[in-house]
Amino acid sequence: QVQLVESGGGLVQPGGSLRLSCVASGFTFSNFAMNWYRQAPGKERDLVAAITSAGRITNYADSVKGRFTISRDNAKNTVYLQMNSLKREDTAVYYCNARTIKYEYWGQGTQVTVSS
């Protein structure tokens, strides 16, 4: 059974930090590129950060460059999103995504709220 389980979301003040984790099971994690998406109320789901299967290449949305860092540990079947200097506009549900040419899996999402 394929599972992607996100954790680490919560309420944080502007300027604060959070670290999201996504633990994968039920598939060969090291074969999949991993992505973090987010969806704010009333908006589309947007790609935030991406990392290749071996972790050598990362990409970021312009809105988070220099503030967010995606990383992965293939030995732990886990992908992370370190979020620093958080802004109110970062408030959204964050989703973990695993993708190959043939397959795609989604987590259930974790809420991140940036508010004072």
Side-chain angles (χ1 to χ4, degrees), residues 37-46 91-95 111:
Y37 284 76
R38 67 185 181 188
Q39 188 168 21
K43 295 189 176 181
E44 294 186 352
R45 191 175 296 189
D46 293 325
T91 295
V93 177
Y94 284 71
Y95 296 91
Q111 176 70 47

Side-chain angles (χ1 to χ4, degrees), residues 85-101:
S85 303
L86 282 160
K87 305 176 181 180
R88 287 182 175 82
E89 51 263 42
D90 295 319
T91 295
V93 177
Y94 284 71
Y95 296 91
C96 178
N97 168 268
R99 183 180 295 142
T100 63
I101 291 174

Side-chain angles (χ1 to χ4, degrees), residues 3-102:
Q3 279 193 309
L4 291 172
V5 180
E6 301 101 332
S7 62
L11 174 65
V12 63
Q13 291 186 344
S17 297
L18 284 174
R19 189 196 197 201
L20 305 184
S21 299
C22 172
V23 180
S25 60
F27 62 97
T28 305
F29 180 76
S30 59
N31 288 349
F32 282 68
M34 295 300 298
N35 310 290
W36 285 99
Y37 284 76
R38 67 185 181 188
Q39 188 168 21
K43 295 189 176 181
E44 294 186 352
R45 191 175 296 189
D46 293 325
L47 179 64
V48 174
I51 188 167
T52 53
S53 58
R56 292 192 181 96
I57 300 174
T58 59
N59 282 295
Y60 299 93
D62 286 344
S63 59
V64 306
K65 278 181 183 175
R67 300 189 297 122
F68 290 12
T69 302
I70 188 171
S71 61
R72 65 190 295 162
D73 185 339
N74 286 350
K76 295 182 178 180
N77 286 2
T78 303
V79 62
Y80 304 97
L81 186 67
Q82 178 67 44
M83 305 186 294
N84 298 329
S85 303
L86 282 160
K87 305 176 181 180
R88 287 182 175 82
E89 51 263 42
D90 295 319
T91 295
V93 177
Y94 284 71
Y95 296 91
C96 178
N97 168 268
R99 183 180 295 142
T100 63
I101 291 174
K102 194 172 181 180

